[in-house]
Amino acid sequence: YAYRDSSGALEVTLDPVETGFSVVVRDDGTWLERAAGDGEAGGLGIPLMEAVTRRFEISSSEDGTTVRLDFPLIRESAEPLDA
């Protein structure tokens, strides 16, 4: 998506933090805005990011696009939760 009809670099980093981890994806491409009138037909990427992350950010400029995804740390409990 980043480069449409050409190729280019993609950088992905994973940073652990105490409360989870962050994934940052960077490229030198441009963000593809949804065309007016597309409604909900634009795809599943952003709704999926909203559903599975604690927070996400998309920033785009003429120098490229950065997407940051913050995921919570999920710990399994040794004891079952009381219902």
Side-chain angles (χ1 to χ4, degrees), residues 8 16-17 24 52 58 70:
V17 295
V24 178
V52 301
I58 300 169
D70 292 336

Side-chain angles (χ1 to χ4, degrees), residues 18-50:
E18 188 173 323
T19 58
F21 61 95
S22 294
V23 175
V24 178
V25 181
R26 293 183 183 92
D27 62 56
D28 296 328
T30 55
W31 184 257
L32 180 60
E33 292 295 333
R34 187 179 298 182
D38 273 355
E40 295 296 321
L44 296 175
I46 291 176
L48 181 61
M49 288 187 280
E50 288 176 326

Side-chain angles (χ1 to χ4, degrees), residues 25-81:
V25 181
R26 293 183 183 92
D27 62 56
D28 296 328
T30 55
W31 184 257
L32 180 60
E33 292 295 333
R34 187 179 298 182
D38 273 355
E40 295 296 321
L44 296 175
I46 291 176
L48 181 61
M49 288 187 280
E50 288 176 326
V52 301
T53 63
R54 178 181 322 138
R55 180 177 72 95
F56 77 95
E57 286 179 17
I58 300 169
S59 58
S60 187
S61 70
E62 59 190 34
D63 296 326
T65 300
T66 300
V67 177
R68 179 187 177 101
L69 307 160
D70 292 336
F71 293 91
L73 183 61
I74 299 172
R75 297 182 184 188
E76 292 186 35
S77 175
E79 298 178 26
L81 297 174

